[in-house]
Amino acid sequence: MKVFVPVKRVVDYNVKVRVKSDGTGVDLANVKMSMNPFDEIAIEEAVRLKEAGVATEVVAISCGTTASQETLRTALAIGADRAVLAETDVELQPLAVAKLIKALVDKEGPQLVILGKQAIDDDANQTGQMLAALLGWPQATFASKVVVANGKATVTREVDGGLETLELTLPAVVTTDLRLNEPRYATLPNIMKAKKKPLDIVKPADLGVDVAPRLTTLKVAEPAKRQAGIKVADVAQLLDKLKNEAKVI
């Protein structure tokens, strides 16, 4: 069974994001970039499936600029067998990414696609669902447990009221949640081995995919700063302020 794992290059989660002074976007100059944390979980799960003898090949794929090769090498160091980069300088939006992944899926025929439920830069939470719709495959989102056997995937997913268990017939799309697993660290020997693993580069035009943006960002702004709290003398004063100043009661 071949498993596809899309990964995205994003601003590292430890970095404090700064908005450009003109409000056109986020300042990426001299900012540390890394693999999207949810995608790290997806890679880990795919590698565990291979180690368990369920999967035979794990293919990491990414869409974006040449710099995304670094993210793919990280995926290879974690345990992916090979990588594919759909290289473009165009700002990619979820639908374009889903179309690129679909084209690669049609080309290579994996039985399972595992990806992060969302990227921490745009928080769109759309690519997995769009991909499943384009492929016409069953999907399970927010997975906290995945078991693959006998041509089916049993996925436990987190919902507002607790846990929900779904059984999917492969091929299928699964998006990962934080509690699915804890990704391993890439060891130095594996990092060195990753440099020799195959990494193919294709262009959107080669896949017949139009990646032109459909959405326009009008303005990016930082969240409003919270005002400092105050201490009140008693409950009566608290109620007075909630009613007359905050106007929440």
Side-chain angles (χ1 to χ4, degrees):
M1 183 179 78
K2 183 187 294 185
V3 180
F4 261 26
V5 186
V7 298
K8 185 178 184 181
R9 183 174 183 264
V10 299
V11 175
D12 189 89
Y13 69 93
N14 288 310
V15 173
K16 178 175 173 57
V17 176
R18 291 182 172 81
V19 176
K20 292 180 180 178
S21 57
D22 57 4
T24 57
V26 172
D27 187 3
L28 299 179
N30 301 315
V31 171
K32 181 184 178 183
M33 308 292 283
S34 61
M35 185 189 301
N36 178 46
F38 291 103
D39 296 338
E40 282 189 76
I41 294 169
I43 279 285
E44 174 66 25
E45 192 65 21
V47 172
R48 290 187 185 187
L49 288 174
K50 185 184 176 185
E51 292 172 343
V54 176
T56 55
E57 184 182 27
V58 176
V59 183
I61 59 178
S62 190
C63 308
T65 62
T66 305
S68 296
Q69 291 186 39
E70 179 185 349
T71 304
L72 287 172
R73 291 294 178 193
T74 301
L76 293 171
I78 292 174
D81 298 296
R82 59 187 177 89
V84 181
L85 172 62
E87 187 179 51
T88 176
D89 291 328
V90 177
E91 180 187 351
L92 294 175
Q93 295 172 351
L95 180 59
V97 174
K99 287 181 176 179
L100 287 170
I101 298 172
K102 177 187 182 297
L104 292 170
V105 167
D106 291 341
K107 183 179 178 182
E108 299 211 18
Q111 287 73 52
L112 182 64
V113 179
I114 305 179
L115 66 161
K117 68 173 185 177
Q118 65 194 70
I120 62 172
D121 52 0
D122 57 15
D123 274 337
N125 183 18
Q126 295 176 339
T127 303
Q129 293 89 327
M130 288 178 170
L131 175 63
L134 292 171
L135 289 169
W137 288 6
Q139 62 175 304
T141 55
F142 316 131
S144 59
K145 183 179 180 181
V146 177
V147 178
V148 180
N150 303 318
K152 295 183 183 293
T154 303
V155 178
T156 302
R157 61 188 299 268
E158 299 186 353
V159 295
D160 291 339
L163 299 176
E164 179 182 56
T165 302
L166 303 176
E167 185 179 77
L168 314 176
T169 301
L170 300 180
V173 175
V174 175
T175 70
T176 63
D177 210 340
L178 282 174
R179 279 161 287 280
L180 179 58
N181 61 51
E182 185 174 342
R184 69 193 71 184
Y185 288 103
T187 62
L188 183 58
N190 286 337
I191 292 172
M192 300 306 293
K193 290 177 184 177
K195 294 180 179 180
K196 297 181 180 179
K197 290 183 179 180
L199 194 162
D200 299 324
I201 298 176
V202 296
K203 301 290 186 182
D206 300 334
L207 300 172
V209 176
D210 176 17
V211 295
R214 264 74 174 176
L215 306 174
T216 302
T217 301
L218 300 180
K219 185 180 180 182
V220 178
E222 292 187 7
K225 293 183 179 179
R226 296 178 62 182
Q227 295 181 349
I230 60 171
K231 291 183 178 181
V232 294
D234 50 36
V235 174
Q237 186 180 359
L238 172 62
L239 292 174
D240 177 67
K241 289 188 176 296
L242 289 175
K243 183 177 181 179
N244 300 316
E245 293 186 18
K247 299 186 184 302
V248 294
I249 59 173

